[in-house]
Amino acid sequence: MVLTCQQLLQNNTETWHEATVHPFLEQCKLGTIKPEQFNTWLVQDYLFVTEFTRMVAQVLRVAPPEHFDVILSGLMALKDELNWFKEKAAERSLNLATQKQVTCIEYCDFMHSLAGMAYPVQATVFWAIELAYNQGWQLPGKMPEPYTEFADRWGNPGFTDYVKLLEKQADEELQTASDSVQEQAKEAFLKVAQLEKDFWQMAFKAVA
Ligand code: HMH
């Protein structure tokens, strides 16, 4: 069996749709999302990205040197992203020293658990997490202010190219992976899809 990232998407279209199309994003596009909902997402996503950065560092630790360029460019982008989150939170007077919500904890626990998995599984998860935001923020189309820069951050063409490079690296690894590792990659992909959906739902239900 040879598994590819495109097969994961094609064999799980409905699950992936639920991970990337959500009323939260649709209401950002319509400009009707409530500040409590958006701000909950912003703070929880900052906390998520902090742990995601650690996950990428862990992926780098076990990656072949040929993959360093792409992974290091990802880490550079995350450096900028974390500072940007702090600016956005300050503009909205949000406290980033907030407790993680249950769904955010679950997602962070999952990312930490990857350290014990084979590299092809880690590369697949890395790709899936970035693709989820690339497609999620891109699919609704250009968003109105103040959401434009949020949609552009993950929806911009440069980010799409970066996600394609992550896909290429994951595919390379999956090609030579054992059936058992391929199965683990599939399970992990489905877990990302479920957690992405839950994450949108967590923010969406935060209506004061
Ligand atoms: C929940 N998934 C979530 N947050 C993000 N920032 C990304 C993916 C992309 O980095």
Side-chain angles (χ1 to χ4, degrees):
M1 179 172 98
V2 175
L3 183 66
T4 65
C5 291
Q6 285 304 315
Q7 276 169 11
L8 286 170
L9 293 171
Q10 281 156 23
N11 297 339
N12 303 285
T13 46
E14 198 167 318
T15 307
W16 193 250
H17 186 265
E18 287 174 359
T20 51
V21 179
H22 192 277
F24 181 97
L25 290 162
E26 284 161 7
Q27 293 192 17
C28 288
K29 162 78 181 170
L30 293 169
T32 56
I33 196 82
K34 300 219 166 35
E36 306 89 275
Q37 294 171 304
F38 194 78
N39 293 344
T40 296
W41 167 78
L42 202 158
V43 171
Q44 293 295 315
D45 209 52
Y46 167 76
L47 299 171
F48 168 89
V49 172
T50 304
E51 297 311 313
F52 178 64
T53 303
R54 295 188 205 277
M55 187 203 94
V56 177
Q58 152 59 28
V59 175
L60 178 72
R61 207 178 73 79
V62 294
E66 300 78 51
H67 289 188
F68 278 20
D69 239 46
V70 174
I71 300 170
L72 286 168
S73 75
L75 282 167
M76 285 301 288
L78 284 166
K79 166 186 148 69
D80 180 63
E81 188 168 307
L82 286 165
N83 289 325
W84 174 80
F85 265 111
K86 285 183 213 154
E87 274 172 38
K88 295 302 115 189
E91 283 170 20
R92 291 165 177 262
S93 306
L94 302 174
N95 179 14
L96 290 175
T98 301
Q99 296 268 346
K100 288 190 186 85
Q101 292 198 23
V102 173
T103 298
C104 186
I105 293 172
E106 266 184 56
Y107 209 155
C108 293
D109 285 351
F110 168 70
M111 290 193 288
H112 290 145
S113 76
L114 275 183
M117 308 289 271
Y119 178 63
V121 181
Q122 299 193 35
T124 303
V125 166
F126 187 8
W127 159 75
I129 292 176
E130 296 292 40
L131 181 71
Y133 262 39
N134 181 229
Q135 294 188 339
W137 285 103
Q138 208 168 50
L139 287 171
K142 188 159 171 63
M143 290 201 185
E145 294 298 346
Y147 308 115
T148 320
E149 67 177 303
F150 290 86
D152 287 349
R153 171 156 287 274
W154 292 282
N156 78 74
F159 197 83
T160 304
D161 290 343
Y162 162 64
V163 174
K164 282 189 190 129
L165 293 172
L166 292 176
E167 175 179 342
K168 188 162 159 282
Q169 295 194 164
D171 277 349
E172 260 170 52
E173 295 301 317
L174 287 170
Q175 208 169 17
T176 51
S178 67
D179 284 1
S180 152
V181 167
Q182 292 189 23
E183 185 60 32
Q184 289 165 45
K186 187 187 129 192
E187 292 302 321
F189 170 81
L190 292 172
K191 184 79 183 166
V192 169
Q194 179 224 309
L195 288 164
E196 285 293 329
K197 177 187 167 195
D198 293 350
F199 206 92
W200 291 126
Q201 193 54 31
M202 167 193 75
F204 192 67
K205 68 171 199 269
V207 191

